[in-house]
Amino acid sequence: MIQVIIIAEGQTEETFVRDVMAPVFAASGIILTARLVEVAGGGRGGALSYERVWKFLRNTLRERASTYVSTFFDLHKLDTAFPAHAGSLKISDSGRRAGYLETAFHADVIARTGCRPDRFIPHIQPWEFETLLFSDLTTLTGTETSWARHLPALQNIRSGFAHPEQINGSQTTKPSARLGLLRNPGFRKVRHGPLAAGRIGLQRIEAECPHFAAWLQRLRTLAPL
């Protein structure tokens, strides 16, 4: 069995890994386990400082040499202390920017922990988890019966981009802000996010989101340590 610990940004990503990703990968003998970084006050996940992230990664990597460690962090509002953050701002394409950050992130963690380079597989999602839900808006808006009337407006947003991972990441135009259109009930990330993603399915999400798909493909091709 191949074991991969995924350090998730928050409860939504943690639930998505556990309920949507893990069952699919388990069928191929790859065991995915999600963890959240402990933060001040005893909480977990959210608003992660780089200092706290790399220390958590260091401790996780040191637990067992036979386990891979990956991450599932949002590109939007990524802590500016992440390696190469300033340089990444010059890159307009969200996927290339995320890849640039992942490369620097990997190099820094390996240098500071001394672990085998192939054991750490960073993933930074352009722009955020909610991006994945734009892979199938019909399924998303079917999550609540009252959301069907918002489908045309969301489809109009989606049509402005080559793929969901390019949907703008500013505070007012990021994918989660766009989902503010969904009302009565309003979109609730922790509740609706993993539920809708599970209904959409990994196959459809991967077909629409190339950076996410590349991460999953890398996980699928891992060899036993």
Side-chain angles (χ1 to χ4, degrees), residues 12 16 20 129 133 187-198:
T12 302
F16 174 73
V20 182
F129 170 81
L133 304 182
F187 177 81
R188 291 162 55 189
K189 178 176 180 176
V190 175
R191 175 189 173 190
H192 293 114
L195 176 62

Side-chain angles (χ1 to χ4, degrees), residues 8 10-24 34 36 72 128-134 136 139-140 143-144 147 179 187-202 205 212:
Q11 291 181 348
T12 302
E13 291 82 1
E14 179 187 36
T15 303
F16 174 73
V17 170
R18 183 192 68 210
D19 294 352
V20 182
M21 290 177 59
V24 174
L36 295 181
F72 193 177
E128 55 184 352
F129 170 81
E130 287 84 352
T131 296
L132 308 180
L133 304 182
F134 278 80
D136 186 339
T139 299
L140 170 63
T143 306
E144 296 282 356
W147 287 357
L179 294 182
F187 177 81
R188 291 162 55 189
K189 178 176 180 176
V190 175
R191 175 189 173 190
H192 293 114
L195 176 62
R199 293 179 177 179
I200 293 170
L202 286 183
I205 293 173
F212 178 81

Side-chain angles (χ1 to χ4, degrees), residues 4-8 17 21 32-35 69-72 215 219:
V4 185
I5 297 171
I6 299 177
I7 310 303
V17 170
M21 290 177 59
L32 304 183
T33 304
R35 293 185 183 178
V69 178
S70 189
T71 63
F72 193 177
W215 176 44
L219 296 180

Side-chain angles (χ1 to χ4, degrees), residues 54-116:
W54 94 258
K55 287 182 178 178
F56 193 83
L57 284 168
R58 176 197 61 194
N59 295 340
T60 304
L61 286 161
R62 287 178 177 176
E63 287 180 9
R64 283 188 297 170
S66 60
T67 302
Y68 290 96
V69 178
S70 189
T71 63
F72 193 177
F73 297 156
D74 291 348
L75 177 59
H76 178 67
K77 297 188 74 173
L78 192 71
D79 183 19
T80 58
F82 266 72
H85 187 278
S88 76
L89 297 176
K90 302 174 184 177
I91 303 173
S92 58
D93 180 82
S94 58
R96 288 198 306 111
R97 182 181 171 194
Y100 178 86
L101 286 161
E102 289 164 358
T103 298
F105 185 17
H106 180 271
D108 187 64
V109 169
I110 298 306
R112 297 172 78 173
T113 64
C115 83
R116 277 178 49 172

